[in-house]
Amino acid sequence: MNTFENKIDRLTDAILENEGNITDKTKIQIDRAEIELAASNMPWNLNLRQIYRSFQNDFHEYLINVRNVAEKKARWYLGSLNRMPDIYTIQDFISAKFTENGIKAFRNFIHFLEDIKGYSQINDITPEKWLKPAKVKQSRPKITFINVSDIVEVFHYCPDNLKTFYKLLTYTGGRGEHIKNMIDTFEPDRIITSYEFPDVSYYPTSELRKGTKNTYFVFFPTSFIDELKEYKMPYNHIETVYSKVRHNNVNTKNIRKWHANMLFKEGTQESVVDYLQGRTPQSVVAKHYANLNMQAERCYHSILPKFNIA
């Protein structure tokens, strides 16, 4: 390791040790500036691992605020790059055999260096060339069809303390994490019951959106409200919940597909299905909210008998 890299290591360690408890703020700021200046101007080979270490906090903010990456996924990306070996060349990157998350993290980091830090080259290699081998292999999606019999079977298999959660999944077709967060922050006074169709109720969830995963309302039978009011999630971690409701081919993703397919079979327009399941762009929802919501109420009312899974 050359003198420059020793200095980078020493200064980076000093910054990391003092983060959140800086006793000499000016010194730390100067050291960080030295790292950025050196990393962008030194003529000899730069180690991408060291550059990442010096910009880790900035990169984290970039993922959240610029790339709109959910916090959980951002942590995955940071974890992948924390395990990154020394990388000076494209061949080093190829030899490192990054995982899929690692490749995505690496791509985002190269974009960060170019867009935020102004790097036009790294070791005489343009960002475009760094990105060329950093491609995620497109896998064929696994298509699994489930029917109402599968849904009912898994309801009986599901632990008693998750049966209400499971019902809400089937009623709403929502994403598991959104449903859990809704239950954790549930305020009964915010429930809206349709005036035209009193058996249909829904709850606003737009504040629960994460990253690019939208959600606007979750619809459920009005008869379910009392049970929902009394329910508390038994587990803090969504992965624990997923593992306990997963059985055979049924999981939260397939329940969501089943819900959409059932709506389509009843003649529901694609735009309404997308609205119910949070796939509609926010700009479209804002423009056509009244019409979409009216159609959603009507369609949900017509399909309610199909949700009798208990």
Side-chain angles (χ1 to χ4, degrees):
M1 185 178 290
N2 58 40
T3 303
F4 170 66
E5 287 187 311
N6 279 324
K7 182 178 181 182
I8 291 288
D9 264 335
R10 178 174 56 79
L11 294 177
T12 303
D13 288 340
I15 291 170
L16 294 175
E17 288 173 8
N18 286 279
E19 203 73 62
N21 185 27
I22 297 175
T23 56
D24 188 350
K25 191 171 183 178
T26 303
K27 175 64 166 58
I28 295 299
Q29 289 175 337
I30 291 172
D31 284 351
R32 189 185 292 275
E34 283 183 25
I35 291 175
E36 295 190 13
L37 181 63
S40 60
N41 293 318
M42 284 295 183
W44 48 70
N45 282 350
L46 302 177
N47 185 346
L48 275 171
R49 179 179 66 84
Q50 293 291 356
I51 298 175
Y52 166 71
R53 288 191 67 196
S54 67
F55 294 145
Q56 182 173 346
N57 290 338
D58 293 344
F59 179 56
H60 186 194
E61 292 180 8
Y62 168 80
L63 289 174
I64 301 297
N65 299 323
V66 179
R67 304 296 287 188
N68 204 24
V69 173
E71 178 62 38
K72 182 178 179 180
K73 185 175 287 187
R75 289 199 300 270
W76 288 349
Y77 287 174
L78 295 176
S80 295
L81 293 185
N82 281 331
R83 296 186 293 273
M84 176 169 56
D86 292 337
I87 292 181
Y88 297 92
T89 66
I90 290 176
Q91 184 56 51
D92 290 339
F93 169 77
I94 295 172
S95 299
K97 296 181 179 179
F98 277 59
T99 63
E100 181 177 322
N101 269 335
I103 292 173
K104 291 178 180 178
F106 184 84
R107 290 185 63 86
N108 274 288
F109 185 59
I110 295 298
H111 284 304
F112 162 79
L113 291 179
E114 181 180 22
D115 298 341
I116 304 301
K117 296 302 179 182
Y119 281 59
S120 58
Q121 290 188 339
I122 305 165
N123 295 343
D124 293 327
I125 302 170
T126 63
E128 183 181 5
K129 288 183 178 179
W130 277 107
L131 292 172
K132 192 171 182 179
K135 294 180 179 178
V136 178
K137 293 181 180 178
Q138 297 297 321
S139 58
R140 293 182 179 179
K142 182 180 179 181
I143 301 176
T144 303
F145 295 100
I146 60 176
N147 55 41
V148 69
S149 297
D150 298 318
I151 295 290
V152 172
E153 178 186 342
V154 176
F155 174 75
H156 293 296
Y157 163 84
C158 182
D160 288 344
N161 61 0
L162 284 172
K163 277 184 164 51
T164 298
F165 173 81
Y166 185 83
K167 284 183 187 177
L168 196 55
L169 279 177
T170 62
Y171 290 151
T172 65
R175 295 180 176 89
E177 192 166 8
H178 288 158
I179 297 302
K180 178 186 178 301
N181 291 340
M182 170 197 158
I183 293 170
D184 287 340
T185 59
F186 187 64
E187 299 175 34
D189 291 344
R190 299 181 67 195
I191 295 173
I192 302 166
T193 297
S194 169
Y195 178 79
E196 186 175 357
F197 304 103
D199 55 348
V200 174
S201 291
Y202 45 100
Y203 187 87
T205 53
S206 58
E207 71 276 9
L208 301 179
R209 68 186 295 269
K210 287 193 172 184
T212 58
K213 306 299 185 184
N214 291 324
T215 177
Y216 307 109
F217 294 96
V218 294
F219 282 67
F220 45 82
T222 301
S223 59
F224 184 62
I225 291 177
D226 288 341
E227 180 177 343
L228 188 56
K229 285 180 178 179
E230 298 297 321
Y231 186 64
K232 302 293 181 186
M233 288 299 300
Y235 306 104
N236 291 326
H237 300 292
I238 190 62
E239 296 301 332
T240 303
V241 176
Y242 287 160
S243 68
K244 291 184 179 294
V245 300
R246 187 185 303 120
H247 183 64
N248 293 335
N249 289 325
V250 178
N251 55 38
T252 54
K253 287 186 178 180
N254 285 339
I255 291 172
R256 184 168 162 81
K257 293 176 185 176
W258 166 80
H259 182 273
N261 287 336
M262 193 163 59
L263 289 167
F264 284 130
K265 286 178 182 177
E266 294 299 313
T268 307
Q269 293 181 7
E270 185 175 357
S271 60
V272 178
V273 176
D274 287 345
Y275 173 71
L276 285 167
Q277 295 202 334
R279 283 188 293 272
T280 308
Q282 285 183 307
S283 58
V284 175
V285 171
K287 188 175 181 180
H288 302 288
Y289 163 73
N291 185 44
L292 282 170
N293 211 65
M294 180 180 65
Q295 290 184 67
E297 287 183 6
R298 182 180 297 113
C299 293
Y300 199 80
H301 166 75
S302 69
I303 204 173
L304 267 179
K306 304 287 185 180
F307 289 127
N308 187 20
I309 65 167

